[in-house]
Each structure stands twice: as C-alpha cells, then as structure tokens.
Amino acid sequence: MAIQDTITQTWVKITGRKIAPDDYEWLIGPTGHTDIIKDKFIFELARKEDLSIQKNALNSGLLERIEQIGITGQEKERLNKKVVDFYENTSNYNLEVWSEWKGLFKPFGRLLSIIFSKRLQQLNLPLNSIDTAKGIKSEIIKLRSKNERETRWTIWYRILKSTNDVVYSGIYTTCKNPNYKAPLLKVVFPLPNGNASVIMTKKVQADGSLLLCSDGKKFGDNGFYFTLTNKRGEYWARFVKPMHEWIRVYEDDEKVLRADHNLNFYGVRFLDLHYKMNKK
C-alpha cells in the first residue's frame, strides 16, 4: 500500500472514532483495493454477493424511483418532470461538463490528482475545461440478483474521454440515518481499505429544481465521511466538517436540463462543476 494511503488511514483512526457497524449501518458501504479502484471493486462486489452485472441498459437510473430519497407525493408534483426522468432513466442521457477551480485551490486540485486520483483511478476531478472538451463517457452499472428482479447496487461510472481517467466511480444508494425522518441520498466512493461517502438531504425548490445538500455541522449529520475497515471487521469513521457540497438539478430558461455542483472547504468555494444533460 502506498505511503500516502497509510498516512490518510492513520489520520482517520487518530482523529475519527471507532464505530460498531451494526450501530452505524447508514455509514457502511463497499470498499476498494489498495492498488487501483477504477471498476475493479465492481467485479469483486458482484462475485462476493453473487450478482449479475448490467451495463448501461436502456432506462437505467441512479434511482429506481425518485421517492427513494424521501420525495413525497406532493413534492413529486412540484418537482420538474425532467429532473425526475434524469434520476430514474440516467442511461438515456449524454453529459457535458465544465469545471472551474477557484484561485489558490487549483494547485491543490493538481496535487490531489498526482498523489491519489491518477494512481487509484478514482475522483479525477477535471482541472480545467480542456480536460472535458471531448466530453465524458457515462455508464450506469447495475448489480442485480441473478433473477434480475432486484437491484442491489447502482454505480455511476464516468470517464474523461480525453484521458480515459475515471472521474467518478461512485455507488448511488440511500440510507436511513436515525437523525432524519426521511431516507437520505448516499454516494459511496470506494477507496483503499475503506471509502468516502457523501450523505445528502434533499429539497424541492419553488421553481421545480432539486437541491441536494451535504452541509452538516457534526458527526451524524448529512455530510462528507471517510470510513475505514480492516480484516478483523473493525471500523473507524471520520466526519469531515469543513467539506460541504450542494447539487442543484434544474431546467433552465431554454428548457435545457442542467446541474450545478458547488464544493466548499471551510466556507470557501473551491470548485464549481456545471453539467448539461441531453437526451440521447
């Protein structure tokens, strides 16, 4: 295992807390290998749980139903129908993306890429718009029971066409956090011996857009978490309080479906990602 991974995992153990997995099921998720993430964990997960792999089938969505993230009937009536269709039929869309690193954070983005992202092939956040000029290859991968009646895991696998680097290899699921009445959206990014999870609340806004937030203030809130495990089945978790994200999915004035993804660290915006989603 690389020295930088060892340092990161030691930081999680020292500054985080040891948890009992049965008491924190909402934090537990698939983990990655120590050499490379990419799509390796997908095949391992399918083998371990005896699941079939279905790639980019027509009408495959990040969610089976938008109600999975706690959208009520009244909220669904207000929610823009294009937003619902995108989440329930994501494979039917092509994506364009523009990225903008802010000021002093741009060198940090490049450092993150050199130390972790390129090597692990995970979370290769675009450093500039040139990286995304040729577009992004987007795949929805379903791990399903062998009779194909139940989806166990949904993976959104995105690759920069210009470099073949993996932008995101994230598992989209939900969790029942005891501090919230409604289910929360949970995105798991497998990492060596653990994962990073973004746990998000939702809000249907007056204009029909969907706002997803990971802006919690303490352990147990929605937010960004590192989780670590070992061969003995012990778990540690670290809530990264300074890290906040907002994703707004909406239809613009020209009837185009878009998403704005804003990331803050200690209250300072460090990265904006803008998406345009077109039906294939």
Side-chain angles (χ1 to χ4, degrees), residues 140-153:
I140 300 296
I141 301 172
K142 298 279 186 178
L143 301 189
R144 310 187 73 178
S145 57
K146 290 295 177 68
N147 59 19
E148 296 198 348
R149 293 180 181 176
E150 179 188 2
T151 297
R152 180 71 181 92
W153 302 104

Side-chain angles (χ1 to χ4, degrees), residues 123 125 168 172 187 189 196-201 211-216 222-225 240-248 260-265 269-271 273 275:
L123 296 175
L125 298 173
Y168 285 113
Y172 276 67
V187 187
F189 300 101
S197 293
V198 182
I199 297 174
M200 312 190 87
T201 56
L211 182 65
L212 300 168
C213 305
S214 62
D215 56 355
N222 63 322
F224 187 94
Y225 292 82
V240 185
K241 182 179 177 180
M243 183 74 172
H244 293 161
E245 296 184 44
W246 296 268
I247 300 174
R248 179 172 172 255
D260 295 331
H261 187 177
N262 309 124
L263 296 93
N264 282 22
F265 193 68
R269 182 77 54 83
F270 72 89
L271 176 62
L273 296 167
Y275 293 90

Side-chain angles (χ1 to χ4, degrees), residues 94-133:
N94 287 318
L95 275 76
E96 297 178 49
V97 61
W98 296 264
S99 64
E100 183 182 5
W101 285 85
K102 302 294 185 178
L104 297 175
F105 285 99
K106 191 167 185 177
F108 169 77
R110 191 169 298 280
L111 185 65
L112 180 69
S113 175
I114 293 170
I115 296 176
F116 292 104
S117 305
K118 285 277 190 182
R119 173 175 55 87
L120 294 174
Q121 284 300 294
Q122 174 69 295
L123 296 175
N124 273 291
L125 298 173
L127 296 175
N128 53 59
S129 295
I130 294 176
D131 289 344
T132 59

Side-chain angles (χ1 to χ4, degrees), residues 19-85:
I19 61 172
D22 291 342
D23 296 335
Y24 290 89
E25 288 186 19
W26 56 275
L27 263 183
I28 307 303
T31 62
H33 290 267
T34 57
D35 52 351
I36 191 171
I37 304 301
K38 206 172 182 180
D39 57 356
K40 190 174 181 180
F41 78 91
I42 299 172
F43 298 101
E44 179 64 21
L45 196 55
R47 184 198 62 78
K48 183 179 178 181
E49 299 187 9
D50 193 29
L51 301 171
S52 63
I53 300 175
Q54 182 186 70
K55 286 190 175 184
N56 237 34
L58 188 67
N59 304 327
S60 291
L62 294 173
L63 300 170
E64 303 294 300
R65 297 177 298 106
I66 196 71
E67 290 88 349
Q68 286 177 259
I69 57 172
I71 298 287
T72 65
Q74 287 185 334
E75 288 174 324
K76 189 173 181 179
E77 283 297 315
R78 302 202 319 268
L79 189 58
N80 187 295
K81 300 300 183 288
K82 288 185 178 180
V83 175
V84 176
D85 187 69

